[in-house]
Amino acid sequence: MTVQLKGRPEVIQIQWIPKYTTLERAAHWIHTATFVPLAITGMILYFPFLEPLAQGEAGLFIRLVHRVAAVIFGLLPIVYFIFEPRRLLMNIREFLPNKEDLGWLKAAPAYYLLGRHEAMPPQGRFNAGEKMNGLVMIVAWAVFGITGVPMWFGKGVIPPEIFRWLVVFHDLAMIVSVCMFLVHLYLAVAHPLMWAGLVSMRFGVTSAEYAMVHHAKWYYGPKRAMEIWEAKKREAAHKGGH
Amino acid sequence: MNNRPSPKLAIHRREFLGLSALGLGISLVGARAAAAAPSVASPDNVAILYDPVKCVGCKACQMACKRWNKLPNESTDPLGIYESPRDLSAITWNIIKLRRTEVGWHFFNYQCMHCTDAACVEVCPTRALFHDPLGFVALDRQKCNGCGYCTQFCPYGVPHLQVANLLTGEAKSAKCTFCQDRLWSGIGGPSCAEVCPVGALVWGKRGDLLDRARARVAELQAQGLNARIYGENEAGGLRRLSILLGEPEEYGLPSVPKTPAFARAWQRIIQPLGNVAFGAALLGILGTFLFVRRKIRMEEVK
């Protein structure tokens, strides 16, 4: 894609490389569109100050919304698995932590607060923060399902001793995933350096230039990325010595 | 010159105040309004006393309960012995059962225990279940949304869901309400106690009933029976007092009802911790947002 800014002679060349499939993007947005109502309707039973919304007919309605959204939320990853099983497994593999993640977490404050990217070690298709978000959401999805389905159909069937723990774990999964979601939402829509993520999730592509810097292990391959990283570190040390 | 701080400082201060206000707001929101539960049952509370030695098992209480509360008949297990229906349900709030204890077979009446430390009131997210100032645990069916937490946390398994639709979750909680409408309108006491022909179920002030129960227990003990009061201190004191002829377990009653403590841990420890987590996340995000807005100049970003 070429872009020419008004009144400027130079032409900017942007090379786009694919990052997400159409199904992945659709799944992401359907996940969002169900997670948010699930969180809101769940919190109506959670926060005492929202009590009026939980009472009587309104309460019956929010519980119905919670169930409709839960069915879609629960089936979504299964649909994804049926249509793109290899992509799903690939993504899960890429969510698994590795030893560069620690370095990334250490360097992250300087990048996210001050915009200094130099100390960030090369990352794969997902960086350590994205991995954390992905893993939390996968685990939370499983916990919501394992605890939610018996809470729906199991009253009077499963022993109350177990039911009480299901409610507690459903709450805990909500607390962790909502915190993660808030951070994710801020970074995606409001952080000035994170615009690339929203572009990728809307159009499925990322610019080669961005991938080169921020997802070097994905762009160059792990071996080449580490070589470049080591060379850069040596160069910095050399400069620092003078 | 005026005394007003420089504009830059003013923004800092405003932001600082905003952050503090947000933090305070979150912690206030987190504090679950203390339920109006008295920590100890008052002797002036209304209560019911059940004496199984006097009970003849006529089931008048069961019938009176159904009739006053307009509860429909329940189809019952034809192989059932005396117990019919077999257990409490959404449409049976009072039941006589046969129990075998160390003194042999005798009748026992089951209904809501009207705990002081009521797990159902603790977990109810709508305040449909509440402590009536008279002492019993009342139920406002209009407010109930059918979540069913009460049915799962009650140590006595008393509340039951009247499920209209399992799929949509449409339901209402149901339990013995101490005939709340009779008490509120001044008609009289709970119909089960009013109707009992032998004085096995009586109602009155809890303090008076405890005195009567103590005297009765002494009388039974003098006859060589292992009699005791159940409900004086259990779950903060029950408003349904019973005389037992043996261990509570022989009646399917817990010696120590533990679920109120569990319910409290859930709603008074885990949920506030969650609120702290939400607050920390929001404050962190807001702080980062304000900091980044000043520190990162998009023009300088490559």
Side-chain angles (χ1 to χ4, degrees):
Chain A
M1 187 171 99
T2 60
V3 180
Q4 185 156 22
L5 296 174
K6 242 183 186 171
R8 291 230 187 171
E10 69 268 29
V11 169
I12 305 166
Q13 284 264 351
I14 303 176
Q15 195 199 342
W16 297 106
I17 51 178
K19 188 163 185 181
Y20 302 115
T21 65
T22 308
L23 179 64
E24 280 165 355
R25 283 178 288 137
H28 175 272
W29 292 116
I30 297 170
H31 178 93
T32 314
T34 50
F35 182 87
V36 171
L38 278 166
I40 292 171
T41 51
M43 280 175 171
I44 289 173
L45 292 198
Y46 176 95
F47 283 118
F49 78 100
L50 293 175
E51 196 179 84
L53 294 173
Q55 290 172 338
E57 293 296 314
L60 285 175
F61 179 71
I62 63 118
R63 289 179 58 238
L64 180 63
V65 171
H66 198 80
R67 277 152 203 245
V68 172
V71 170
I72 303 168
F73 181 86
L75 291 179
L76 197 59
I78 297 166
V79 171
Y80 177 37
F81 176 72
I82 291 168
F83 286 97
E84 292 182 355
R86 292 167 73 181
R87 289 282 301 182
L88 174 64
L89 293 176
M90 181 192 82
N91 281 327
I92 291 175
R93 258 202 307 279
E94 286 177 16
F95 281 143
L96 298 177
N98 59 36
K99 63 176 188 293
E100 268 79 55
D101 291 339
L102 212 62
W104 185 93
L105 288 172
K106 273 186 204 151
Y111 177 54
Y112 285 92
L113 294 174
L114 304 168
R116 292 198 198 119
H117 190 263
E118 302 82 42
M120 303 286 262
Q123 295 286 301
R125 197 159 140 262
F126 298 117
N127 65 40
E130 291 167 329
K131 286 180 186 179
M132 245 158 58
N133 184 58
L135 288 175
V136 163
M137 284 301 167
I138 291 170
V139 172
W141 173 79
V143 174
F144 284 136
I146 293 166
T147 58
V149 172
M151 280 163 72
W152 187 341
F153 297 105
K155 274 181 225 124
V157 181
I158 52 166
E161 291 77 16
I162 294 172
F163 189 97
R164 291 165 198 151
W165 284 107
L166 296 180
V167 180
V168 169
F169 280 103
H170 207 79
D171 262 21
L172 287 174
M174 186 278 280
I175 290 165
V176 174
S177 61
V178 166
C179 286
M180 199 73 231
F181 169 79
L182 291 172
V183 175
H184 181 72
L185 179 72
Y186 161 68
L187 290 177
V189 305
H191 196 284
L193 300 177
M194 299 295 119
W195 55 272
L198 205 52
V199 170
S200 301
M201 218 22 115
R202 284 179 64 194
F203 305 107
V205 292
T206 194
S207 78
E209 207 184 345
Y210 186 85
M212 223 179 269
V213 180
H214 297 271
H215 300 281
K217 276 163 78 182
W218 176 47
Y219 187 79
Y220 294 110
K223 201 166 156 251
R224 180 85 189 102
M226 290 315 283
E227 280 169 19
I228 296 171
W229 167 246
E230 295 300 333
K232 223 173 94 184
K233 274 207 293 198
R234 271 200 302 278
E235 197 188 325
H238 187 65
K239 264 189 200 158
H242 278 271
Chain B
M1 295 300 284
N2 56 34
N3 290 331
R4 278 162 57 195
S6 70
K8 199 175 173 217
L9 199 65
I11 291 168
H12 276 284
R13 183 166 299 170
R14 200 165 60 218
E15 284 167 2
F16 172 75
L17 288 175
L19 282 175
S20 325
L22 186 72
L24 190 69
I26 289 161
S27 35
L28 282 181
V29 160
R32 183 168 277 268
S39 52
V40 192
S42 156
D44 287 332
N45 284 168
V46 290
I48 296 172
L49 170 63
Y50 176 68
D51 182 345
V53 183
K54 287 185 182 164
C55 182
V56 294
C58 69
K59 294 194 180 189
C61 49
Q62 208 173 311
M63 287 313 299
C65 174
K66 285 245 177 200
R67 180 170 287 183
W68 178 260
N69 294 297
K70 298 188 178 65
L71 299 171
N73 292 336
E74 194 161 354
S75 58
T76 171
D77 181 356
L79 297 177
I81 37 167
Y82 178 82
E83 297 169 352
S84 160
R86 300 299 284 268
D87 220 329
L88 292 177
S89 74
I91 51 169
T92 300
W93 301 348
N94 184 312
I95 192 172
I96 294 280
K97 289 217 237 178
L98 264 177
R99 300 303 304 197
R100 188 187 168 85
T101 66
E102 53 196 74
V103 294
W105 290 94
H106 64 88
F107 300 111
F108 199 79
N109 172 288
Y110 291 85
Q111 60 186 153
C112 176
M113 297 292 172
H114 298 283
C115 314
T116 303
D117 204 358
C120 61
V121 173
E122 194 86 31
V123 297
C124 179
T126 64
R127 252 181 254 207
L129 284 158
F130 61 98
H131 288 285
D132 188 89
L134 291 172
F136 50 87
V137 176
L139 170 61
D140 181 347
R141 301 246 294 173
Q142 293 287 84
K143 282 186 183 165
C144 176
N145 71 15
C147 76
Y149 291 165
C150 52
T151 66
Q152 303 298 313
F153 282 83
C154 172
Y156 300 101
V158 166
H160 281 75
L161 271 188
Q162 199 159 12
V163 179
N165 187 329
L166 182 65
L167 213 54
T168 63
E170 196 184 338
K172 288 279 178 191
S173 177
K175 76 166 192 77
C176 154
T177 64
F178 210 94
C179 287
Q180 58 191 25
D181 41 354
R182 288 172 68 92
L183 276 103
W184 288 336
S185 59
I187 291 174
S191 47
C192 57
E194 295 271 25
V195 83
C196 181
V198 291
L201 276 168
V202 290
W203 79 284
K205 286 196 173 172
R206 190 169 183 274
D208 301 343
L209 292 183
L210 271 173
D211 292 342
R212 271 172 84 163
R214 283 192 201 99
R216 179 69 175 149
V217 162
E219 203 180 308
L220 293 169
Q221 280 171 345
Q223 295 172 25
L225 289 166
N226 178 17
R228 70 186 69 195
I229 303 172
Y230 184 84
E232 186 169 7
N233 301 308
E234 284 77 7
L238 308 179
R239 278 58 162 260
R240 187 0 244 275
L241 301 162
S242 312
I243 289 166
L244 303 187
L245 303 174
E247 299 300 320
E249 280 73 18
E250 293 179 74
Y251 295 85
L253 302 171
S255 313
V256 184
K258 290 196 186 81
T259 40
F262 189 101
R264 245 195 320 277
W266 170 36
Q267 300 212 314
R268 293 198 184 159
I269 298 173
I270 293 172
Q271 293 201 344
L273 278 181
N275 296 336
V276 170
F278 295 144
L282 285 174
L283 277 180
I285 289 165
L286 192 64
T288 309
F289 174 76
L290 296 171
F291 185 82
V292 161
R293 201 176 54 171
R294 215 172 286 122
K295 285 289 173 186
I296 301 181
R297 302 259 173 273
M298 277 317 282
E299 307 84 63
E300 295 162 16
V301 174
K302 283 175 211 132

